[in-house]
Amino acid sequence: MNLLKNLADIEKTPFYLFDLGRLHERIHFLKSHLPENVKLCYAVKANPFIAHALSTDVAKLEICSPGELEICRSLNLPWEKFVISGVYKDRELMTALICQNQSPGLFTAESVSQLTLLAEAAAAAKKKISVLLRLTSGGQFGMDGMHIENIVANRQKYPWISFEGIQYFSGTQKTSLKKMQRELNEADAFLEKLEKNCGFTAGVLEFGPGFPAAYFEGDSFDEDSYLNSFSEMLQAMKYQGPVTLELGRSIAAACGTYVTQIVDTKTNKGENYAIVDGGIHQLVYYGQSMAMKQPKMQFIKTSPSNQAVNHLPKQLWNICGSLCTINDILVKQLPLAQPCPGDLLVFENAGAYCMTEGIALFLSRDLPKIILLDEQQTPVVVREHTEINALNTPNIRR
């Protein structure tokens, strides 16, 4: 708490703080609950600011856009760990990636046309590449099993492609072990079918389990039991080859906090409102709708004259952001004792997606500062407050 107060005195709110010590502890926790043949792949989209710190802890880095690729390239992250994924792959970029001296470790194929694109680029470069075929779970992602069977059965048509295995991902925030079991059974049965009908043994199963993160007060989740049960399911599969778990939220969420400051308070028609300098453009929790759930958070008094308020009765306050829209409500009916301008609200579990999913361009407000807290608890600013008004300024030539 003192650290956050000190940072708020030095750094302009709002800001994000990502604790790298907690991040490494999280990786160790996950690995300690998983079988030895299981490796981790980090989905860079969850939080690109911690990708560098994670690069030595995970086996793979999943990249879904040219922007994410440039981020990882600029950080000098190891190319052999890159998994080039995504539902849209630009031909020019894929060709350039394949032709360069050091190609990414893996590409995914989400459709027959994507595979054709990759195969043509590899053939033109006379360079063999490794590919995962994505099995759909429904929706726009991946391919039907029949298409993958046909590809694998005729894999001799792709001399420059090394088919490494199958990618399967069906969603996130999955608390139901029964649903997880059904999905593992489906993947297991499909791998067995490929081996029986096509003589193809997958070298790896990349599986997106969608482990849940507990964002809100009242969320009950015995993660130790959950992970132990999941590990038993993996060990019971007929497929006993290497498994890579593609994770984003489960790795990154717990390492992050979002700090925003109260800038105004008012009471309108019997309802108390505290306005903060942040808002929904900078903080998005999975499943949050009009602040109907209360996130896990701290309230920090900053003024000495305001700190002795424990004896005061708490009142219910609606926490609203700085956007000019009635939708900008972070928390409804939050019990607080005499909130005042300058006091801090600290939202926990903000390490995944929160800083990227919001409507950042709305009202042209600055992007918040991002601070990493290293293993020695030393704060390091990795992005200053960034003006974005230029992105909303039309280029009018007179």
Side-chain angles (χ1 to χ4, degrees), residues 154-178:
N154 296 282
R155 54 191 179 276
Q156 71 279 359
K157 295 181 179 180
Y158 304 94
W160 296 101
I161 299 288
S162 174
F163 293 102
E164 298 298 316
I166 300 300
Q167 185 186 53
Y168 185 68
F169 179 76
S170 67
T172 188
Q173 287 294 86
K174 289 184 284 190
T175 58
S176 171
L177 285 169
K178 289 184 178 179

Side-chain angles (χ1 to χ4, degrees), residues 65-183:
S65 72
E68 289 180 357
L69 177 64
E70 285 306 309
I71 291 169
C72 293
R73 190 202 303 262
S74 67
L75 293 172
N76 293 316
L77 301 185
W79 281 91
E80 66 272 13
K81 293 192 175 187
F82 292 2
V83 180
I84 305 300
S85 189
V87 293
Y88 167 55
K89 291 183 173 68
D90 176 76
R91 179 178 293 274
E92 183 178 354
L93 177 59
M94 294 303 109
T95 300
L97 288 176
I98 291 170
C99 287
Q100 67 185 18
N101 290 334
Q102 188 173 16
S103 297
L106 277 171
F107 293 84
T108 68
E110 293 248 1
S111 66
V112 175
S113 60
Q114 269 196 11
L115 178 62
T116 301
L117 184 162
L118 294 171
E120 289 174 353
K126 292 184 168 47
K127 190 172 182 181
K128 198 151 191 173
I129 62 171
S130 298
V131 171
L132 291 175
L133 299 171
R134 180 165 182 177
L135 175 66
T136 188
S137 61
Q140 72 269 43
F141 303 107
M143 294 180 274
D144 276 338
M146 59 179 290
H147 294 306
I148 293 179
E149 282 187 71
N150 183 59
I151 290 168
V152 170
N154 296 282
R155 54 191 179 276
Q156 71 279 359
K157 295 181 179 180
Y158 304 94
W160 296 101
I161 299 288
S162 174
F163 293 102
E164 298 298 316
I166 300 300
Q167 185 186 53
Y168 185 68
F169 179 76
S170 67
T172 188
Q173 287 294 86
K174 289 184 284 190
T175 58
S176 171
L177 285 169
K178 289 184 178 179
K179 181 177 181 181
M180 191 78 76
Q181 183 68 76
R182 288 196 300 270
E183 292 174 354

